[in-house]
Amino acid sequence: MAMNFDFFNKWVQDNLGIRLEAYKERQMQRRIGNIMQTTGAKTLEEYAKILSKDSKAREEFIEHLTINVTEFYRNKDIFDEFEDVLKKIVVKNTSRPKIWSAACSTGAEPYTLAMILDKNKINGSIVATDIDKVILDKAKSGRYSLHELKNVSKTDISNYFSKREDGDYEVKPGLKQKITFKRHDLLKDCYESRCDVIVCRNVTIYFKPDARDEVYQNFADALNKGGIFFTGATETINNPEQFGLKKVASFIYQKA
């Protein structure tokens, strides 16, 4: 079945403000085909009509489209390196670092960062952003199952989470207060400014090279001099110098 992706890409950009052409085509088209089938639409034109009328279908489309795979302390050994860099480099430049957790998904990453700040007695602030409003609402709630906390130590669970009557765990207010959540599209919105740390992990692998490099340059521009950019374990930057960055540890770069 032929699919008019040129039409659909333009419709999504015009009506939902999402730049599908910046994503790797085969992955994105497969995801669109999968979610379209759940609505009974036979063509992308039919699917666009459904999305224009059905707010629930639009939310499900955006949620399916964005890659919401995350967990606390994802790649723990790399997070240990990041914590070391934070203490050795970042706090020497500022006593109140501004941290941006970009494409934060369900919130595991910014809450991990908040725990690291608290345990190291670093009085910083965290801005956490994502394109998906539904996912952001989950992140703001700070509610997680015990399985979702599998990488969090029992001590940290006790210190930073309260057990709910339904068996889930909720981030305690003191930790929540360290984070400001807001919606942001990496491919079209204005970036944060004067950041000391930017964390964006396992996101740019889904972008085409031109879009990925544009995002990297925007991140570099958003950093203060000496600031740190922390990427995912699949996102080595082969030539960080082109963005004004230098590698200081595995998947961690500093603005020169």
Side-chain angles (χ1 to χ4, degrees):
M1 178 171 54
M3 303 283 264
N4 189 354
F5 282 104
D6 288 342
F7 154 78
F8 191 69
N9 288 356
K10 185 176 186 307
W11 186 91
V12 170
Q13 175 142 0
D14 291 345
N15 293 274
L16 302 181
I18 299 173
R19 285 176 50 197
L20 292 183
E21 80 282 357
Y23 293 84
K24 293 177 180 176
E25 288 180 8
R26 191 169 297 177
Q27 290 175 331
M28 188 54 57
Q29 290 176 2
R30 184 173 62 248
R31 295 178 75 83
I32 291 169
N34 289 341
I35 188 66
M36 184 184 83
Q37 288 179 355
T38 66
T39 68
K42 302 297 183 187
T43 67
L44 287 168
E45 288 82 359
E46 285 182 25
Y47 188 40
K49 289 179 181 177
I50 292 172
L51 294 178
S52 67
K53 296 175 183 177
D54 189 335
S55 60
K56 187 172 186 295
R58 281 198 302 277
E59 287 181 0
E60 289 174 348
F61 170 71
I62 294 172
E63 186 174 355
H64 185 77
L65 207 65
T66 53
I67 314 298
N68 292 309
V69 179
T70 187
E71 58 187 36
F72 288 84
Y73 292 101
R74 187 174 184 178
N75 309 117
K76 181 66 166 60
D77 54 333
I78 301 175
F79 255 103
D80 289 342
E81 273 196 279
F82 167 74
E83 186 171 352
D84 194 46
V85 168
L86 185 71
K87 292 186 288 187
K88 288 182 177 178
I89 296 177
V90 177
V91 296
K92 287 186 177 180
N93 293 334
T94 175
S95 60
R96 296 178 60 87
K98 176 183 177 181
I99 300 177
W100 178 15
S101 172
C104 70
S105 188
T106 57
E109 180 178 277
Y111 288 124
T112 296
L113 295 169
M115 286 189 283
I116 289 173
L117 289 183
D118 188 74
K119 286 188 286 186
N120 287 282
K121 296 181 171 54
I122 300 171
N123 190 20
S125 62
I126 300 170
V127 177
T129 64
D130 200 274
I131 192 174
D132 188 338
K133 183 180 181 300
V134 175
I135 289 297
L136 271 179
D137 287 342
K138 174 175 171 53
K140 290 177 186 176
S141 75
R143 296 175 186 173
Y144 301 94
S145 67
L146 187 58
H147 175 72
E148 290 175 295
L149 299 178
K150 63 182 184 295
N151 294 336
V152 183
S153 69
K154 290 182 179 179
T155 300
D156 283 354
I157 291 176
S158 175
N159 288 339
Y160 298 114
F161 295 83
S162 300
K163 190 169 184 179
R164 293 165 45 85
E165 289 184 0
D166 59 9
D168 285 348
Y169 290 78
E170 183 170 349
V171 177
K172 290 182 178 179
L175 205 65
K176 282 186 180 181
Q177 290 170 4
K178 293 181 181 291
I179 304 171
T180 301
F181 288 99
K182 56 186 180 181
R183 189 182 182 280
H184 181 269
D185 184 343
L186 288 171
L187 297 172
K188 74 181 185 73
D189 292 336
C190 292
Y191 277 44
E192 293 291 319
S193 61
R194 302 189 64 78
C195 297
D196 300 295
V197 177
I198 295 175
V199 181
C200 184
R201 310 183 70 227
N202 309 300
V203 176
T204 61
I205 54 171
Y206 300 105
F207 295 159
K208 292 178 181 176
D210 287 351
R212 177 200 63 208
D213 289 351
E214 179 185 337
V215 168
Y216 284 162
Q217 188 60 64
N218 287 337
F219 279 143
D221 292 343
L223 284 169
N224 286 326
K225 185 178 179 181
I228 295 298
F229 176 39
F230 181 22
T231 68
T234 56
E235 296 169 313
T236 296
I237 303 177
N238 293 323
N239 184 20
E241 291 78 16
Q242 68 178 305
F243 308 112
L245 302 170
K246 64 176 181 179
K247 188 172 183 177
V248 293
S250 300
F251 313 107
I252 301 174
Y253 304 84
Q254 184 178 29
K255 184 169 182 177

